[in-house]
Amino acid sequence: MAAGLGTRMRSSRAKVLHHLDGMPLVNHVVSAALKLNPAKVVAIVGHQADEVEKAIINEFPDADVAFAIQEKQLGTGDAVNSARQILEGRDSTTVVLSGDVPQIKAETLQAMIDAHREAAAACTILSVRLKDPTGYGRVMRNEDGLFERVVEQKDASDEEKKIREINSGIYCFDTVKLFDALSRVGNENAQGEYYLTDVPGIMCADGEVVAVFECPNAKEVEGVNERGQLAKMEKIARKETNRSLMESGVTLLDPKAAYISSRAEIGRDTVIYQNVTVEGKTVIGENCNIRPGVRIVNSVVGDNVEIRDNSFITDSTIGSGCTVGPMAHLRGHALMEEGSKIGNFVELKKTRLGKGSKASHLTYLGDATIGENTNIGAGTITCNYDGKNKHETHIGDNVKIGSDTMLVAPITIGDGAVTGAGSVVTHDVESDTLVAGVPAKLKRANLNGQKQGPQ
Ligand code: UD1
Ligand code: CA
């Protein structure tokens, strides 16, 4: 169920799109559902349905997720009813999850499903006992301790409000019996909504078995209703990630100031300094130094890499033994091959920097390929954009690009070529030649000293 707005978030974005641990809430829930290998996952969407659908498809492009639209948010019973066309008539078990209960574990769901089948129940409710049950629906049992019905907070008497066993909003249903009972749910209650929580009560009155499965870990079923709860969850998730990283041999100089996605992988003996952010599916190798203020997003970093202060790296790859920064910027599938180096205020966009090559200061390299052991002088710019289109720059091996060279793309600089300081290079440069000036002209050929001529 992911159709609600989430009024208490005071947001113009649907609640399930808010992020926990770098991922929309709804995707945590879809992820848990997919781990159960279900025949089908149905996401019930309504508020900002397009955005919610996009977020799910983006994260799970290969998964078989169907979308059911709940036009008006008339309650959780109505929400599930909007999946009727997709699910009705199946001889199956339907597990209902809430888009705003993101920490639920697949193992817990599997244990509930097993218990549900064991008991041959029409419905199994995942419950939990809380010190403070305020806000949740309460699980009412009869004097024999058997389930009777769920009472919502807003409909509960003072006596009922004292009950500490609550409905987590997560259930298993016999699919046929679910849709049969749903047809009989009304909206005569304090909120004028169609409550899914009426279904187990109806089933119970029908003489069906309704079981209650107590969740061993109350944290898993905590809901996000407001931003304070989200911040608390974020902190706990981060602490958990950091603990497991340290256990696996990563040094965190200050765990409280390390913001690392649970989906990131970091090798042993890598040191993460203060205020480092590692997002998405980033992989960092062994024995690296990630200095203060660095942010790395969806990137791959090899072993023995030094990333100096305040560098920003996104969607890029850095080979082993490289040095980056301080204050460097890699983006757009930039690739630094083994042992290459970029220094302060160097930006690489959609550029490959070959093995052992260097761009140490104040440089923009975009849409470029650079060979091995080439040196890019301070202040060099690939002029890749003519106002309409982007053009490529190709630089060979063992090239020396002089300081402050403008390389007007499209352009190719041959192996062993040299450009003079301050050159504006507008035409291709042959291998082993020196060009200089504005615009750059040939100054010397045959730089490597070998005699040219017929062989
Ligand atoms: C619900 C339960 C309550 C339980 C609590 C646990 C009902 C009536 N009550 O209350 O017993 O203790 O969860 O967290 O079910 N949604 C829709 N369409 C709607 C309404 C809601 O898709 O028309 C979705 C929301 O987006 C959300 C989920 O259903 O993901 C739960 O809705 P919410 O309004 O938060 O229910 P609670 O009041 O928390
Ligand atoms: Ca809720």
Short mmCIF file of all heavy atoms in Angstrom, two decimals, residues 8 15 100 223-225, ligand 2:
data_model
loop_
_atom_site.label_atom_id
_atom_site.label_comp_id
_atom_site.label_asym_id
_atom_site.label_seq_id
_atom_site.Cartn_x
_atom_site.Cartn_y
_atom_site.Cartn_z
N ARG A 8 0.96 13.93 7.84
CA ARG A 8 1.79 14.34 8.98
C ARG A 8 3.25 14.63 8.60
O ARG A 8 4.01 15.17 9.39
CB ARG A 8 1.73 13.26 10.07
CG ARG A 8 0.42 13.27 10.83
CD ARG A 8 0.23 12.02 11.67
NE ARG A 8 -0.15 10.86 10.85
CZ ARG A 8 -0.35 9.63 11.33
NH1 ARG A 8 -0.18 9.39 12.61
NH2 ARG A 8 -0.71 8.65 10.53
N LYS A 15 4.56 10.50 0.95
CA LYS A 15 5.42 10.01 2.03
C LYS A 15 6.36 8.89 1.59
O LYS A 15 7.54 8.88 1.94
CB LYS A 15 4.54 9.52 3.19
CG LYS A 15 5.33 8.86 4.31
CD LYS A 15 4.55 8.74 5.59
CE LYS A 15 3.39 7.78 5.48
NZ LYS A 15 2.63 7.71 6.75
N ASP A 100 4.89 2.61 4.30
CA ASP A 100 5.55 3.47 5.29
C ASP A 100 6.10 2.67 6.47
O ASP A 100 6.39 3.24 7.52
CB ASP A 100 4.59 4.57 5.77
CG ASP A 100 3.39 4.03 6.51
OD1 ASP A 100 3.14 2.81 6.45
OD2 ASP A 100 2.68 4.83 7.17
N GLY A 223 6.46 2.46 11.98
CA GLY A 223 6.01 3.19 10.80
C GLY A 223 6.62 4.58 10.77
O GLY A 223 7.02 5.13 11.79
N VAL A 224 6.71 5.14 9.56
CA VAL A 224 7.13 6.54 9.42
C VAL A 224 5.88 7.37 9.23
O VAL A 224 5.18 7.23 8.23
CB VAL A 224 8.05 6.74 8.20
CG1 VAL A 224 8.38 8.21 8.02
CG2 VAL A 224 9.30 5.90 8.32
N ASN A 225 5.56 8.20 10.19
CA ASN A 225 4.41 9.08 10.02
C ASN A 225 4.82 10.55 9.96
O ASN A 225 4.15 11.36 9.37
CB ASN A 225 3.39 8.86 11.13
CG ASN A 225 2.73 7.49 10.99
OD1 ASN A 225 2.32 7.09 9.89
ND2 ASN A 225 2.67 6.75 12.07
CA CA B 2 1.09 4.67 9.15
#
